Amino acid sequence: MTKTKAELEKVIAEVRDMQKDVGKITNQHVNLNSQLTENRLVEQELALLKDDAEVFKLIGPVLIKQDILEAKGNVSKRINFITSEMKRTDDQMALLEKKQEAKRTQIMDLQVKLQELAKQGAVQ
């Protein structure tokens, strides 16, 4: 019975660790989503500009003049990167949810086993 109880406690601790990981991934996803929104707004603003407009990029404390086509390309690349990172975090979240469900099933099985062992101990 103590072996089963120890196994149950181990699985419960694993589920807690997974829940912490889910929280971290959720925070990453939220940050990526806000970055994506910001970059899409920049992309929309750049689309409104004429080809001869001056665009500046903030590098540290200095504004550096940048070619508008280069700026549009950089923003597009950032959007693609952020989108792929969001997909990766979604995949991680789905995998963790599957693992958590399996652990929850394992916890229920162990609880049933403990109850049966407790009944057997009470009968004897």
Side-chain angles (χ1 to χ4, degrees):
M1 184 164 163
T2 57
K3 179 182 173 188
T4 306
K5 196 170 189 176
E7 188 178 346
L8 177 63
E9 290 172 3
K10 178 184 170 200
V11 174
I12 289 172
E14 289 172 359
V15 169
R16 282 191 197 119
D17 290 342
M18 284 182 199
Q19 287 172 337
K20 288 178 186 176
D21 291 342
V22 166
K24 289 177 188 176
I25 292 171
T26 301
N27 285 338
Q28 286 176 350
H29 195 273
V30 167
N31 290 338
L32 288 169
N33 195 29
S34 66
Q35 288 176 4
L36 182 63
T37 302
E38 184 178 316
N39 278 280
R40 285 194 174 143
L41 286 172
V42 171
E43 184 179 48
Q44 289 172 359
E45 291 294 321
L46 288 174
L48 296 175
L49 298 176
K50 295 178 183 175
D51 289 340
D52 61 345
E54 291 184 351
V55 177
F56 294 88
K57 180 176 184 177
L58 184 64
I59 300 178
V62 180
L63 284 173
I64 305 291
K65 191 172 182 178
Q66 188 177 28
D67 180 55
I68 192 164
L69 295 176
E70 183 183 349
K72 287 179 180 180
N74 288 342
V75 171
S76 179
K77 286 177 189 175
R78 271 198 310 258
I79 289 173
N80 289 337
F81 174 76
I82 293 168
T83 304
S84 66
E85 284 297 302
M86 287 180 74
K87 168 109 174 68
R88 187 182 62 79
T89 58
D90 288 341
D91 293 344
Q92 283 180 324
M93 185 71 78
L95 181 65
L96 272 174
E97 286 173 357
K98 275 185 178 179
K99 286 181 180 179
Q100 276 185 323
E101 191 58 38
K103 292 294 181 183
R104 286 187 188 110
T105 302
Q106 189 178 359
I107 288 171
M108 288 190 293
D109 292 344
L110 287 170
Q111 287 174 335
V112 168
K113 188 175 180 181
L114 274 174
Q115 288 174 351
E116 289 172 358
L117 289 172
K119 286 181 185 176
Q120 290 174 358
V123 172
Q124 293 175 356

